[in-house]
Amino acid sequence: MPLWDWNYAFDILPDLLLALVTTIEITLLGSVVALLLGLVIAILRRAHIPVLDQVLWGFVEFVRSTPLLVQIFFLFFVLPQFGITLSAFVVGVFALGVHYATYTSEVYRAGIDAIPKGQWEAATALSLPRSRTWTGVILPQAIPRVLPALGNYVISMFKEVPLLLAIGVIEVVNAAREIGSVTFRYVEPYTIAGLLFLLLSYPASMLVRRLERRRVAA
């Protein structure tokens, strides 16, 4: 039996591509959660509301200090005991999104803290409403500064989606595993799965590096 069978590889490719769509969907939806929730956390912590700031600090540190897989298991296996049952897909999106929101919140905070103090003082001198200060002055300057770092976290999230095979999500690595368990040929499915990740993550990383170089040049 040959080590690599091209006919077999082409036969299983459609199933792996279909699973890749699921991987991309989870990544995109998880990224939306991570980017929006991270921004909300950063803004709320910037407000220095005494009790809330401590709660958010504790939440961020707790999530960042515990393994993502444990968080996935908690949401999928423990929450149903409290009457909250979520599908594996939803758990994947929520777990990845919240986990990475704790990292993106720190990225946002760094970008916000890098805004010169004079910008805040100018907004105050012009009597701009708080919401207008954020949306018209601070965030348009802070977010472009941190886009490369945010992009790196999105790529990292994409590569961590395979953790969801532990709760039965048919993403591309789980699909490769199931195909291999049926045919007892693992070289082709796992190799193709790895190449699919490479074909998407490498160009994305190149784009992030280009953005970073452009930011430095600016």
Side-chain angles (χ1 to χ4, degrees):
M1 182 180 294
L3 181 63
W4 182 271
D5 186 337
W6 282 106
N7 290 327
Y8 173 61
F10 284 118
D11 285 342
I12 65 175
L13 183 59
D15 291 333
L16 292 174
L17 289 175
L18 184 62
L20 180 63
V21 172
T22 300
T23 304
I24 294 173
E25 289 175 344
I26 292 174
T27 302
L28 293 178
L29 292 173
S31 297
V32 171
V33 174
L35 296 177
L36 293 180
L37 180 59
L39 181 59
V40 170
I41 293 173
I43 292 175
L44 289 177
R45 293 199 65 190
R46 187 65 172 70
H48 298 298
I49 303 171
V51 176
L52 181 60
D53 186 47
Q54 294 175 354
V55 170
L56 289 175
W57 175 84
F59 174 76
V60 168
E61 292 302 314
F62 174 80
V63 172
R64 293 179 63 177
S65 300
T66 54
L68 175 57
L69 187 58
V70 172
Q71 297 165 19
I72 293 170
F73 282 157
F74 182 88
L75 293 174
F76 191 72
F77 293 111
V78 178
L79 284 187
Q81 299 183 24
F82 297 94
I84 303 174
T85 302
L86 304 173
S87 69
F89 185 93
V90 173
V91 166
V93 170
F94 188 71
L96 287 166
V98 172
H99 184 83
Y100 276 93
T102 60
Y103 290 93
T104 60
S105 67
E106 296 301 306
V107 172
Y108 283 125
R109 286 185 67 197
I112 293 169
D113 290 342
I115 301 300
K117 187 178 179 180
Q119 298 289 322
W120 295 94
E121 295 172 347
T124 301
L126 293 171
S127 300
L128 292 180
R130 192 72 173 174
S131 59
R132 179 60 180 165
T133 299
W134 279 105
T135 59
V137 179
I138 304 304
L139 294 182
Q141 297 181 73
I143 291 179
R145 297 169 183 257
V146 299
L147 280 179
L150 295 176
N152 282 327
Y153 280 125
V154 171
I155 295 171
S156 296
M157 184 187 301
F158 172 65
K159 291 186 290 187
E160 291 212 81
V161 172
L163 287 174
L164 301 179
L165 67 83
I167 58 173
V169 175
I170 307 300
E171 45 69 49
V172 66
V173 174
N174 198 12
R177 183 186 64 83
E178 291 194 351
I179 291 171
S181 66
V182 171
T183 62
F184 297 102
R185 288 191 63 92
Y186 292 95
V187 173
E188 294 89 348
Y190 280 125
T191 301
I192 294 173
L195 289 174
L196 290 174
F197 271 100
L198 178 64
L199 289 173
L200 289 178
S201 62
Y202 184 73
S205 65
M206 291 296 99
L207 176 61
V208 168
R209 291 178 189 175
R210 184 174 180 180
L211 288 173
E212 190 167 7
R213 287 195 298 268
R214 181 176 297 180
R215 184 182 66 83
V216 172

